[in-house]
Amino acid sequence: MSTQSIHYLRPVALHLPPGIPETPSCQRRHTLPASEFRCLTPEDAASVFEIEREAFVSVSGMCPLHLDEIRKFLTLCPELSLGWFQEGRLVAFIIGSLWDEERLTRESLTLHRPGGHTAHLHVLAVHRTFRQQGKGSCLLWRYLYHLGGQPAVRRAVLMCEDALVPFYERFGFHRVGPCVVTLGPLAFTELQCSLRGHASMSRNSC
């Protein structure tokens, strides 16, 4: 995940699978053929898992989401995902789901609560050949902008290792304390971010 300087971004076209109503931030305006941001579909699950597995297994020995969980979230809530494609190839992605409690729990790792007002960011990953180029920062800004256009989503929440806390703080996330969820020997800090103002944020291209 890159920690290069953050740049404000222009609104971009985001696409949902057929039959899923589009939110204002997903309405198609203009898509660059060589670089496209869109919501993911279950058909993207294999590419997502390939990037996630390489990014996380080599570091922690485990993936935040298994392949069947990726397919489930991309079926139930594709509008809470965002992929960055270059010439048709997935280079970075974020997957989220809705949560309806104040803090994350172990259940929040695998559930989507449609009545919730919190977007739980499960995973952000960048393909190994595109790291250290600012793509993680660019994608996260666009994702928060996208979430800000969804009236039902009021805040974003995630858990990460301490070393990544400064990265997320640059995007408006703040610490709420140790996360109750642990994975083997790994402990996490829980972070939250209000989405007020993200929908109207003025942005320049990455």
Side-chain angles (χ1 to χ4, degrees):
M1 193 174 304
S2 174
T3 56
Q4 296 181 5
S5 59
I6 301 168
H7 303 275
Y8 290 103
L9 313 170
R10 261 198 319 263
V12 295
L14 300 170
H15 315 286
L16 287 173
I20 303 295
E22 290 191 335
T23 63
S25 59
C26 275
Q27 293 174 351
R28 184 180 182 90
R29 291 185 178 181
H30 177 69
T31 301
L32 296 175
S35 184
E36 178 186 24
F37 293 83
R38 66 166 171 82
C39 299
L40 299 168
T41 73
E43 287 70 31
D44 297 312
S47 297
V48 166
F49 185 64
E50 179 182 353
I51 295 174
E52 180 199 37
R53 182 173 55 187
E54 189 280 328
F56 287 91
V57 171
S58 62
V59 176
S60 64
M62 61 188 74
C63 290
L65 296 175
H66 298 299
L67 181 56
D68 59 335
E69 293 169 335
I70 293 171
R71 288 198 180 101
K72 179 182 71 174
F73 286 131
L74 296 185
T75 299
L76 295 177
C77 48
E79 71 281 3
L80 296 173
S81 69
L82 186 61
W84 187 345
F85 294 80
Q86 292 192 340
E87 298 181 348
R89 178 187 184 186
L90 181 65
V91 301
F93 70 88
I94 296 176
I95 292 179
S97 65
L98 288 180
W99 186 239
D100 60 358
E101 297 183 22
E102 181 64 25
R103 299 289 298 271
L104 296 176
T105 68
R106 183 162 291 277
E107 287 184 325
S108 67
L109 303 184
T110 57
L111 295 181
H112 169 60
R113 298 270 179 84
H117 298 290
T118 297
H120 173 202
L121 281 62
H122 293 275
V123 56
L124 184 165
V126 178
H127 192 282
R128 62 183 179 274
T129 59
F130 295 91
R131 291 176 196 151
Q132 304 302 318
Q133 300 176 22
K135 284 184 166 52
S137 298
C138 181
L139 181 64
L140 184 53
W141 267 122
R142 291 180 185 266
Y143 183 74
L144 294 174
Y145 177 85
H146 170 55
L147 290 181
Q150 302 186 40
V153 184
R154 300 170 184 168
R155 63 174 183 155
V157 62
L158 59 85
M159 62 184 208
C160 68
E161 295 182 72
D162 287 345
L164 290 174
V165 169
F167 171 81
Y168 288 106
E169 287 179 331
R170 295 163 58 195
F171 299 87
F173 284 88
H174 65 274
R175 306 174 193 235
V176 295
C179 186
V180 299
V181 179
T182 59
L183 297 175
L186 299 179
F188 304 94
T189 297
E190 187 169 332
L191 305 173
Q192 294 181 3
C193 173
S194 172
L195 294 174
R196 293 178 181 176
H198 277 285
S200 59
M201 186 184 300
S202 175
R203 306 183 307 167
N204 296 317
S205 60
C206 301

